[in-house]
Amino acid sequence: MAGKRRGDVREEDVTGLKYFDKLAPLLARLHEVGCGRDKAGNRKLHFDQYCMLVLLFLFNPVVRSLRAIEQASELRKVQRKLGCQRASLGSLSEATDVFQPERLEEIIAELGEQLKPIARDPRLKDVQHALTLVDGTLLKGLPVLVQAAMLDPRAAKHKAKFRLHTQFDLERGVPIRIDVTEGSGRGEANERIVLAKALESGRCYVEDRGYAKFQLFNEIVAADSSYVCRLRDNSRYEIVQQRELCGDDAEAGVLLDAVVQLGDTGKAENRLDHPIRLVVVKTTPHEKRGGAAGPASTGLLLIATNLLDLPAWIISLIYRCRWTIEIFFRFFKHVLGCRHLLSHDPAGIEIQTYCAIIACMLISLWTGRKPTLRTYEMICHYFAGLAEEDELLAHLAKLQAHPV
């Protein structure tokens, strides 16, 4: 009897599929998406089934590639639970040309409404808007890199990347939106343009210095939201009204709190239609390594905001929370496995990233906690058959007994 080949997926490798029972009704509305041109009714792989297979990839450490998904779809257990037939590589690859990733946004919104705050810092209780961390990260696609290098080696580095423009809800501990663009950051892929198109009311957007632009600040305020944004170290400003610092400000390293005039007001695009506040915080300069370009840090953190009523040390604390999104990017790439792209088509990448958001939300709903490596590992052990259901439930009960 032949032994198991590396990468083979067997019935015993796939467990825990009953947890997908709750997903099926949620995704059912997607079943007919992409069937408009299928006049003969021959379509065998539907959008809801494709999403379930992608979620199987995200949760099961044995299913680590498109070919492994194909093999898993051949298993009777998977077919019964996911309601699908065998999915060929061709149909899995074609899926990104047929299905509409934006239809997953409404499902993400519904799951988001079910999530309760799980990581509220009591020191931030006076912040009225939902703290929303904003940043982008790059994903590389090797096949695209090879193809681009053959056409133009100099442009290959940019063409082989995709940028995920991410909004992360700090209080709920999950991403609420990811927009996929090509990786150059130019034109419509510019991070400021992408954010401006996705603004909502009632949010406090926490941004790094790449988002610092007066027009964007005005648009955020016009959307009935607020911002806390780092400025470049060499930003020019003129103090209009200096504010007195308190003991907590000094303890947080705040050196200046003032309403200021920023930049050159001679140009229309450099004019703000609201008062802007500058909080300067002393930090430990980050040492550049490996001959990195650009000037060394001054050791001063310049933070711009339209929030005038909060203490300066709270503004500093809000900005420091921005690093939470960097931790999420690490979880997204290294733990959920999204460094490996199932598709190098923008629509396929959107579907995979939306499914990853759903995975994060499901972990939060199951556990009442933000996604962590240890909890994700335990869920993966269960889906791979290495942990029994009572062991998974005991782990989840322990989390719920010790809330954040």
Side-chain angles (χ1 to χ4, degrees):
M1 180 178 178
K4 177 188 173 186
R5 297 176 300 169
R6 183 178 181 183
D8 281 355
V9 181
R10 304 171 299 182
E11 290 272 356
E12 56 265 36
D13 292 328
V14 184
T15 62
L17 291 177
K18 72 174 188 178
Y19 280 92
F20 282 71
D21 291 344
K22 295 182 179 179
L23 274 175
L26 194 65
L27 296 171
R29 74 192 74 175
L30 305 178
H31 192 73
E32 297 302 321
V33 172
C35 293
R37 65 185 188 184
D38 180 26
K39 303 301 182 182
N42 293 327
R43 172 158 295 282
K44 295 182 179 179
L45 178 65
H46 291 259
F47 193 12
D48 56 336
Q49 298 163 350
Y50 179 75
C51 291
M52 297 275 262
L53 289 170
V54 173
L55 285 162
L56 183 64
F57 159 83
L58 292 172
F59 280 118
N60 196 302
V62 177
V63 184
R64 290 289 82 190
S65 66
L66 204 64
R67 188 172 294 278
I69 290 178
E70 176 199 27
Q71 194 172 34
S73 73
E74 298 174 356
L75 304 177
R76 289 189 299 271
K77 182 193 298 185
V78 172
Q79 292 176 358
R80 286 195 304 270
K81 281 296 185 181
L82 304 193
C84 64
Q85 303 179 40
R86 176 188 175 275
S88 67
L89 280 178
S91 60
L92 289 169
S93 299
E94 182 210 21
T96 60
D97 296 325
V98 176
F99 301 140
Q100 302 163 19
E102 62 272 14
R103 291 295 303 274
L104 288 167
E105 293 177 2
E106 60 192 74
I107 295 173
I108 291 171
E110 287 184 20
L111 287 173
E113 290 176 359
Q114 297 177 35
L115 289 171
K116 298 179 180 179
I118 56 177
R120 183 73 169 181
D121 188 325
R123 295 174 295 178
L124 299 175
K125 60 181 176 60
D126 294 328
V127 181
Q128 299 301 312
H129 290 161
L131 289 172
T132 307
L133 316 180
V134 181
D135 206 349
T137 189
L138 289 172
L139 294 179
K140 299 179 182 179
L142 182 58
V144 182
L145 176 61
V146 174
Q147 182 182 20
M150 293 174 64
L151 298 174
D152 184 356
R154 293 172 298 179
K157 183 177 179 181
H158 296 294
K159 291 182 179 179
K161 294 179 179 179
F162 301 92
R163 187 176 297 276
L164 305 185
H165 303 265
T166 305
Q167 295 186 29
F168 187 91
D169 189 308
L170 180 66
E171 191 172 354
R172 289 170 173 79
V174 294
I176 54 172
R177 181 180 180 122
I178 297 181
D179 294 291
V180 180
T181 68
E182 52 92 13
S184 70
R186 304 189 186 99
E188 292 300 306
N190 180 275
E191 53 198 358
R192 296 185 292 268
I193 293 176
V194 173
L195 177 58
K197 292 180 178 179
L199 294 174
E200 297 179 353
S201 63
R203 295 197 172 276
C204 177
Y205 293 99
V206 185
E207 312 153 337
D208 204 5
R209 54 191 175 186
Y211 292 87
K213 189 176 182 180
F214 295 163
Q215 181 179 348
L216 178 59
F217 291 167
N218 288 338
E219 290 172 334
I220 291 174
V221 173
D224 195 23
S225 285
S226 54
Y227 60 88
V228 172
C229 182
R230 180 184 177 186
L231 301 178
R232 292 176 177 81
D233 292 351
N234 60 354
S235 297
R236 293 183 299 164
Y237 60 89
E238 180 181 338
I239 296 176
V240 176
Q241 176 190 3
Q242 187 160 341
R243 300 155 67 108
E244 186 176 352
L245 300 179
C246 68
D248 288 334
D249 295 332
E251 187 174 340
V254 176
L255 302 179
L256 174 69
D257 179 15
V259 176
V260 300
Q261 181 69 59
L262 280 176
D264 181 7
T265 58
K267 299 180 181 179
E269 63 269 24
N270 286 348
R271 295 173 188 165
L272 288 162
D273 55 16
H274 59 275
I276 189 168
R277 177 185 185 186
L278 179 69
V279 175
V280 179
V281 183
K282 183 174 179 57
T283 63
T284 302
H286 175 71
E287 294 184 9
K288 291 182 175 290
R289 298 178 181 178
S297 170
T298 61
L300 299 179
L301 192 64
L302 278 62
I303 306 171
T305 182
N306 66 318
L307 296 172
L308 303 179
D309 298 331
L310 296 174
W313 69 272
I314 290 291
I315 301 299
S316 173
L317 176 61
I318 290 174
Y319 182 77
R320 291 179 190 276
C321 291
R322 199 197 70 83
W323 288 105
T324 305
I325 198 171
E326 303 292 348
I327 298 172
F328 164 71
F329 286 147
R330 182 172 180 82
F331 180 87
F332 180 85
K333 292 181 179 180
H334 297 270
V335 180
L336 283 180
C338 287
R339 285 182 302 172
H340 177 79
L341 296 175
L342 295 172
S343 168
H344 294 92
D345 178 85
I349 297 172
E350 282 191 76
I351 292 173
Q352 184 174 343
T353 53
Y354 286 154
C355 286
I357 293 177
I358 291 173
C360 289
M361 289 183 166
L362 288 174
I363 294 174
S364 291
L365 286 170
W366 289 341
T367 65
R369 301 281 293 270
K370 62 182 179 181
T372 65
L373 173 59
R374 296 295 165 244
T375 298
Y376 176 78
E377 285 176 343
M378 191 64 185
I379 293 173
C380 286
H381 290 332
Y382 174 65
F383 274 81
L386 300 176
E388 299 292 340
E389 183 175 13
D390 62 327
E391 294 174 314
L392 173 62
L393 294 176
H395 173 81
L396 299 184
K398 187 183 299 183
L399 290 178
Q400 292 163 359
H402 298 85
V404 177

